[in-house]
Amino acid sequence: MSAQLRVATYNIHHGADGRDRLDLARIAETLAGLRADVIGLQEVDVAFGARSAFENQAAGLAEMLGLRGCFGAAIDHAADDGPARGEQHRRQYGLALLTPHEITAHRMRQLPGHPALGPLREPRGLLSATVHPAGQEPLQVHVTHLDHEHRGHRTAQVLRILEHTSALDGPALLLGDLNADPSAAELGPLSAGGWREAAVDLRGAMPRSPVTAKLAAALPFGRSPGRATFPSRLPLLRIDSIWSRGALEATGLEVGASHASDHRPLLATFQRLRAGS
């Protein structure tokens, strides 16, 4: 037996488009159009500041869409003089996961930078959750947003993600804004660790050879034809990606047309295989 799974990742730029015009309802409309079973979000504000009207965007999007959700803070500060909303008394920014299914557990972990490069300018993290669709095996979902400044930091973060996911048993997803083309050298350990990027899975091809990967790494990061997601007005960089492990077979991959954020959403469809299929 098998079941189809629709999985999306979207950097929502704190609810603003490429011109910094705030419109969270437009983000929600974009997400609704994806009809996804699992959505990973990056750059989500929770009472963070005036730029997002001090809203709890994770809870707000879940409510607008009628979905369950969880949030993990990469940045967590004491509240300033901005208006508090409900029980939220801290300024937070990070990652979120939305799904119509039950979330039985979730955890946020901080990701390191490379020790030789000094401290990260922006903290990074990994939001891990167990999503349990009714009548199906639980799905391990990981949402992340890697460093945008240096491939050395991204390498350190990828290696830490592999440490956190090495003991996974069963189907798993890793989705997010990795700030690197899937073929970039710093993401190579993901493939070596058993993760399959959706586009590679689709074409049934092996990852690039070390020579080709080295040439690609010499280009500006994210420069890759097709399935580009950034910037949203004229996508040139393929820096958002979806990876899987276990009994998940990619059957489709598409970039949304929305300009609601400075990124475009990425949607992958998987055939979820079961024993005896």
Side-chain angles (χ1 to χ4, degrees):
M1 298 178 63
S2 64
Q4 189 180 78
L5 186 71
R6 294 172 66 86
V7 178
T9 184
Y10 194 21
N11 182 324
I12 67 167
H13 189 49
H14 59 267
D17 65 12
R19 298 177 183 175
D20 265 343
R21 296 174 297 193
L22 180 67
D23 191 344
L24 194 63
R26 191 179 176 199
I27 296 288
E29 181 181 1
T30 296
L31 294 174
L34 299 175
R35 298 179 291 109
D37 298 286
V38 175
I39 304 169
L41 302 177
Q42 303 83 43
E43 297 195 11
V44 181
D45 279 2
V46 171
F48 190 76
R51 71 180 187 183
S52 50
F54 293 92
E55 285 192 286
N56 183 331
Q57 295 187 327
L61 287 170
E63 182 178 359
M64 282 188 272
L65 295 166
L67 299 176
R68 295 172 169 135
C70 59
F71 171 79
I75 296 176
D76 186 357
H77 296 317
D80 56 16
D81 294 332
R85 296 297 179 94
E87 296 301 314
Q88 174 62 37
H89 297 293
R90 299 193 66 82
R91 299 175 57 244
Q92 298 179 318
Y93 163 90
L95 308 167
L97 184 146
L98 301 175
T99 178
H101 306 297
E102 183 181 7
I103 300 173
T104 57
H106 69 275
R107 179 179 181 182
M108 181 70 174
R109 298 179 175 96
Q110 297 297 310
L111 295 178
H114 193 289
L117 297 174
L120 294 169
R121 291 195 188 183
E122 179 181 318
R124 303 290 173 165
L126 178 72
L127 175 61
S128 301
T130 303
V131 176
H132 198 169
Q136 297 187 32
E137 183 181 3
L139 183 68
Q140 303 300 318
V141 182
H142 306 271
V143 184
T144 196
H145 185 191
L146 301 187
D147 185 75
H148 69 290
E149 292 191 319
H150 201 287
R151 62 170 55 100
H153 284 320
R154 294 192 292 276
T155 298
Q157 289 158 8
V158 165
L159 294 177
R160 183 62 56 85
I161 288 171
L162 287 174
E163 288 180 19
H164 290 319
T165 60
S166 62
L168 289 179
D169 184 22
L173 294 164
L174 173 66
L175 35 141
D177 176 358
L178 304 189
N179 272 312
D181 188 276
S183 66
E186 62 264 36
L187 302 189
L190 289 176
S191 298
W195 290 96
R196 304 183 308 277
E197 192 266 323
V200 172
D201 204 9
L202 266 173
R203 67 175 178 260
M206 295 297 291
R208 295 184 183 186
S209 69
V211 173
T212 307
K214 187 174 181 180
L215 291 172
L219 297 172
F221 78 82
R223 189 83 45 156
S224 176
R227 301 190 175 96
T229 55
F230 181 84
S232 60
R233 286 286 169 183
L234 182 62
L236 298 172
L237 305 180
R238 190 176 170 222
I239 57 177
D240 301 277
S241 54
I242 297 173
W243 302 68
S244 68
R245 276 180 56 176
L248 295 169
E249 181 180 52
T251 58
L253 185 64
E254 59 186 275
V255 176
S258 176
H259 299 159
S261 170
D262 62 345
H263 286 239
R264 293 195 183 189
L266 183 69
L267 174 71
T269 53
F270 292 91
Q271 202 72 7
R272 183 164 174 163
L273 307 178
R274 291 183 177 178
S277 60

